[in-house]
Amino acid sequence: ADNIKNMHYRTIQEVMDDVKLVWENCRMYNGEHHPLSVKTFELEKIFDEKVSKFSPAEVARKAAERKQKKMEKEIDNLRQQINAIKENPKKRLELHEDRPLMPEEQQILRRMINSMDHDTTVKVYNFICANCPKAMVEGEDGEGVELDLEVL
């Protein structure tokens, strides 16, 4: 269940292979005549019937919808954080500490920062310098500074 919730699977075949492994493990560890193993044959038949109804295109569409909803939620979270900084530059930015920003999130954050007016940009710059100075690096051309989003 965790693999499904975390979108670990990229194809329906990966899901099918994992479920098949559950049936096989049950039969191997309990023996084919054990009541649990007998039940796996029934469940396997039902599972195969249900899965056969999903076309690869439908599965891909639903996976894309889930990914889009997740990204929209992350974008909304980033917007709220940027608005909070605009309103109160001293307020700490609450980024996900359990994982780095994904490339798509980094791109969105770049666009949002680049669209800020000068005064807001200065406030964000000062905030980052005060709270995460390692994220500020000298520009490649030796002029200006760049924001290292992976450090942030």
Side-chain angles (χ1 to χ4, degrees), residues 25-128:
N25 285 343
C26 181
R27 293 171 194 149
M28 180 175 27
Y29 292 108
N30 296 306
E32 286 194 22
H33 301 292
H34 188 278
L36 288 174
S37 298
V38 171
K39 196 67 170 171
T40 64
F41 290 107
E42 295 171 33
L43 293 171
E44 183 176 30
K45 183 178 178 183
I46 293 168
F47 178 79
D48 289 345
E49 288 172 6
K50 298 283 184 186
V51 170
S52 69
K53 296 177 182 177
F54 292 104
S55 69
E58 180 67 12
V59 170
R61 185 187 66 76
K62 287 183 179 183
E65 281 178 5
R66 284 191 304 273
K67 186 174 182 178
Q68 181 178 349
K69 284 180 184 178
K70 184 177 179 181
M71 287 301 301
E72 286 172 354
K73 187 175 179 181
E74 291 292 331
I75 290 168
D76 186 49
N77 186 30
L78 288 171
R79 282 191 181 121
Q80 289 174 5
Q81 292 174 17
I82 288 172
N83 287 335
I85 290 172
K86 286 179 181 178
E87 292 170 13
N88 182 0
K90 293 183 180 181
K91 184 175 180 180
R92 291 195 54 86
L93 186 62
E94 298 171 14
L95 294 175
H96 299 284
E97 294 179 22
D98 57 331
R99 67 168 177 81
L101 290 175
M102 296 181 345
E104 296 91 355
E105 294 168 325
Q106 291 179 12
Q107 186 64 30
I108 292 164
L109 186 55
R110 271 190 204 94
R111 275 191 240 129
M112 292 175 131
I113 290 172
N114 289 335
S115 69
M116 292 178 187
D117 61 67
H118 177 73
D119 291 340
T120 304
T121 303
V122 170
K123 289 176 184 176
V124 171
Y125 170 81
N126 291 333
F127 173 83
I128 293 171

Side-chain angles (χ1 to χ4, degrees), residues 7-15 59 63:
M7 295 190 297
H8 170 77
Y9 300 110
R10 286 175 267 144
T11 66
I12 191 69
Q13 189 61 49
E14 289 178 356
V15 175
V59 170

